[in-house]
C-alpha cells in the first residue's frame, strides 16, 4: 500500500521495548563482488558497502577522510577544532579548518531559518544531560536554566574561518549534522573514483549511491519506533541516489523513575523535545541537509516545520500515525511495511 502525501495513516499501537537503530537497509546484496567494511568513528558504527571489486584503495581513502572529520568535529578530543573553540569561548576567536567553517555556516543558516529550533551552540545542554554517557541524569530546573542561558546561535560569530563564542561557558556541538557531512564527503570520494553503486550507513544515516545492477529500486526501511524487532513501519524505495535520515526518541535515551529521556533536546526548553513526535525521516540528495532537518522537524513538529521549510518530512507520532508534510523527492516512493 503506497502512502499519498498529506494524509494520516493509523497503525496499531505496540509496546515500547528498547532502543535500536532507526533505519536499516533491506536487500543489500547486489552480487558476489560486494566489499563491505565497518569501523567506529563520529561516535557511532560506520559501514560502507561497495558493489564492485578492487575497492581497497577507495576504502583507505574513505577511512582517512572520516578520521580527519572526526578529529576536527569531536567534542571529546581536546585538540579538535570544536574543542578549541569551546575552550576559548568568551576569550578569543579560533581559526578552524575549512570543513568546520562550512558545516558551522550551514548550521547557522538552519538555526536562523528554524528560529533557533536547531542550534549549534546547544553544547551546554548536551553536556548537562549527558545522554548516551555514563553521566546521564535529570538535571535540576536551575541547572537547566543556567545551561539554557548559554545556548544562543546569535552569539556564534563566524568570519571566514574564524569562530568566536561571545560568552564564557558557551560551547558548540555539531553532532546533529556532522554525520551527514561525513556521508556527503564519502559520496564525493565515490564520485571521484567513478564507483557505480554503494551503500553508506553512518549510525543510521543511510545514503544509497548509484543504481542497483538489476535496475530495482533501493529499499530503506524505517523502524516502528515502539518495536524492538520485526518489519519496518514503512519502506522507502529510491530509484536513484539519495540520503535517508531519521531522528527518533529511541536512538539514544535513558530511563528514570519509569520515564524516558531522549537525546533530542529543545534549545528553548532545555529539555528533551516534547512535540508529540516519535520520529522524523527526511529524504534528500544532501545527507548533511537531511541530518539537520530531521532534528529540526522533530523539535518543531509538522505544522510549524511546514510553515518554515519547503522540504518534505515523514512524521510518526505517539499514536504511530504517519504524516507526510510537503513532498518527498520524486525518486522516492513510500509503502507501508516492507
Amino acid at each position: 500500500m503506497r502512502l499519498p502525501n498529506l494524509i494520516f495513516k493509523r497503525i496499531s499501537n505496540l509496546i515500547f521495548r528498547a532502543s535500536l537503530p532507526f533505519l536499516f537497509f533491506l536487500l543489500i546484496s547486489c552480487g558476489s563482488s560486494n566489499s563491505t567494511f565497518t569501523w567506529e568513528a563520529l561516535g557511532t558504527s560506520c559501514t560502507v558497502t561497495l558493489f564492485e571489486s578492487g575497492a581497497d584503495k577507495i576504502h583507505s581513502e574513505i577511512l582517512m577522510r572520516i578520521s580527519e572529520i572526526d578529529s576536527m568535529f569531536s567534542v571529546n578530543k581536546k585538540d579538535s577544532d570544536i574543542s578549541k573553540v569551546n575552550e576559548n569561548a568568551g576569550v578569543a576567536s579560533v581559526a578552524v579548518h575549512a570543513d568546520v567553517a562550512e558545516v558551522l555556516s550551514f548550521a547557522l543558516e538552519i538555526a536562523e531559518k528554524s528560529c533557533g529550533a536547531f542550534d549549534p551552540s546547544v553544547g551546554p545542554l548536551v553536556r548537562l544531560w549527558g545522554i548516551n554517557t555514563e553521566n546521564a541524569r535529570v538535571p535540576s530546573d536551575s541547572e537547566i536554566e543556567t545551561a539554557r542561558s548559554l545556548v544562543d546561535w546569535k552569539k556564534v560569530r563566524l568570519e571566514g574561518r574564524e569562530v568566536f563564542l561571545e560568552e564564557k561557558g558557551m560551547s558548540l556541538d555539531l553532532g546533529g549534522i556532522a554525520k551527514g557531512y561525513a556521508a556527503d564527503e564519502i559520496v564525493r570520494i565515490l564520485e571521484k573514483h567513478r564507483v557505480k553503486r554503494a551503500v553508506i550507513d553512518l549510525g543510521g544515516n543511510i545514503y544509497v549511491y548509484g543504481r542497483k545492477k538489476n535496475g530495482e529500486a533501493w529499499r530503506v526501511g524505517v523502524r516502528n519506533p515502539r518495536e524492538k524487532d520485526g518489519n519496518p513501519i514503512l519502506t522507502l524505495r529510491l530509484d536513484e541516489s539519495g540520503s535517508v535520515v531519521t531522528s527518533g526518541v529511541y536512538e539514544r535515551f535513558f530511563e528514570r523513575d519509569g520515564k524516558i529521556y531522549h537525546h533530542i533536546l529543545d534549545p528553548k526548553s532545555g529539555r528533551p523535545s516534547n512535540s508529540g513526535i516519535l520520529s522524523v525521516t527526511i529524504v534528500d540528495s544532501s545527507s548533511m541537509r537531511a541530518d539537520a532537518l530531521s532534528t529540526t522537524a522533530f523539535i518543531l513538529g509538522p505544522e510549524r516545520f511546514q510553515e518554515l521549510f519547503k522540504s518534505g518530512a515523514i512524521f510518526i507520532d505517539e499514536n504511530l500515525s504517519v504524516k507526510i508534510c510537503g513532498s518527498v523527492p520524486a525518486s522516492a516512493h513510500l509503502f507501508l511495511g516492507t
Side-chain angles (χ1 to χ4, degrees):
M1 177 178 178
R2 184 172 175 181
L3 294 172
N5 283 348
L6 301 176
I7 66 166
F8 286 90
K9 178 66 184 179
R10 179 73 61 184
I11 301 174
S12 59
N13 257 316
L14 296 172
I15 298 173
F16 184 93
R17 288 191 275 180
S19 168
L20 278 178
F22 39 80
L23 286 171
F24 55 95
F25 193 72
L26 304 172
L27 301 182
I28 196 168
S29 178
C30 268
S32 58
S33 60
N34 297 358
S35 179
T36 300
F37 66 112
T38 301
W39 74 105
E40 296 293 321
L42 303 168
T44 191
S45 177
C46 305
T47 300
V48 175
T49 299
L50 306 179
F51 299 103
E52 56 187 75
S53 57
D56 289 347
K57 180 180 178 180
I58 303 174
H59 285 177
S60 298
E61 187 171 344
I62 290 173
L63 284 169
M64 288 179 62
R65 182 63 178 130
I66 298 305
S67 176
E68 184 179 36
I69 292 171
D70 190 32
S71 68
M72 290 185 285
F73 286 88
S74 175
V75 296
N76 299 314
K77 297 179 179 179
K78 289 186 177 181
D79 58 346
S80 75
D81 283 17
I82 297 301
S83 292
K84 291 176 182 177
V85 169
N86 294 343
E87 184 180 353
N88 285 278
V91 178
S93 62
V94 173
V96 299
H97 288 81
D99 304 79
V100 175
E102 178 184 350
V103 174
L104 180 56
S105 177
F106 182 75
L108 291 172
E109 288 179 20
I110 298 297
E112 181 176 14
K113 192 169 183 178
S114 68
C115 301
F118 183 90
D119 195 321
S121 69
V122 74
L125 288 171
V126 173
R127 186 170 58 251
L128 178 65
W129 283 87
I131 298 173
N132 205 40
T133 73
E134 296 179 353
N135 302 316
R137 66 186 182 92
V138 182
S140 68
D141 290 347
S142 61
E143 288 177 311
I144 292 173
E145 284 306 304
T146 298
R148 193 175 66 85
S149 69
L150 294 170
V151 178
D152 187 351
W153 64 272
K154 295 178 182 178
K155 295 180 180 180
V156 179
R157 293 187 198 169
L158 174 63
E159 298 180 3
R161 289 170 50 183
E162 295 282 330
V163 182
F164 178 61
L165 306 181
E166 292 184 0
E167 290 189 29
K168 287 187 177 182
M170 288 184 68
S171 61
L172 297 177
D173 190 316
L174 295 174
I177 193 172
K179 285 193 299 182
Y181 178 72
D184 289 339
E185 284 297 287
I186 293 175
V187 169
R188 184 185 60 77
I189 292 171
L190 299 179
E191 291 173 342
K192 184 180 74 171
H193 290 279
R194 299 182 180 179
V195 173
K196 293 181 179 179
R197 58 191 63 87
V199 174
I200 302 163
D201 180 355
L202 304 186
N205 283 41
I206 304 294
Y207 202 114
V208 292
Y209 176 79
R211 297 183 63 87
K212 293 178 72 173
K213 190 174 183 178
N214 58 11
E216 293 182 359
W218 299 106
R219 298 172 64 202
V220 181
V222 179
R223 285 195 181 277
N224 185 317
R226 286 183 169 152
E227 188 175 48
K228 180 179 179 180
D229 301 306
N231 294 325
I233 196 169
L234 59 87
T235 298
L236 286 150
R237 301 183 187 179
L238 279 71
D239 295 330
E240 57 188 42
S241 299
S243 182
V244 182
V245 179
T246 295
S247 291
V249 299
Y250 42 84
E251 183 190 3
R252 295 189 295 276
F253 66 92
F254 70 96
E255 184 176 353
R256 289 290 185 275
D257 301 323
K259 184 175 181 179
I260 299 295
Y261 297 90
H262 62 79
H263 76 293
I264 305 175
L265 302 175
D266 184 342
K268 289 184 170 56
S269 69
R271 294 169 169 80
S273 176
N274 189 27
S275 61
I277 300 300
L278 296 183
S279 75
V280 179
T281 298
I282 303 287
V283 183
D284 201 288
S285 58
S286 164
S287 192
M288 179 170 69
R289 185 162 55 240
D291 208 0
L293 291 184
S294 65
T295 301
T296 303
F298 187 99
I299 294 172
L300 289 174
E303 288 75 22
R304 184 62 171 154
F305 180 74
Q306 198 166 17
E307 288 177 14
L308 298 176
F309 293 87
K310 297 185 182 299
S311 299
I314 305 164
F315 293 83
I316 300 176
D317 68 17
E318 294 174 328
N319 297 314
L320 295 187
S321 295
V322 178
K323 182 179 183 181
I324 305 170
C325 290
S327 299
V328 297
S331 61
H333 312 288
L334 282 71
F335 299 83
L336 287 179
T338 57

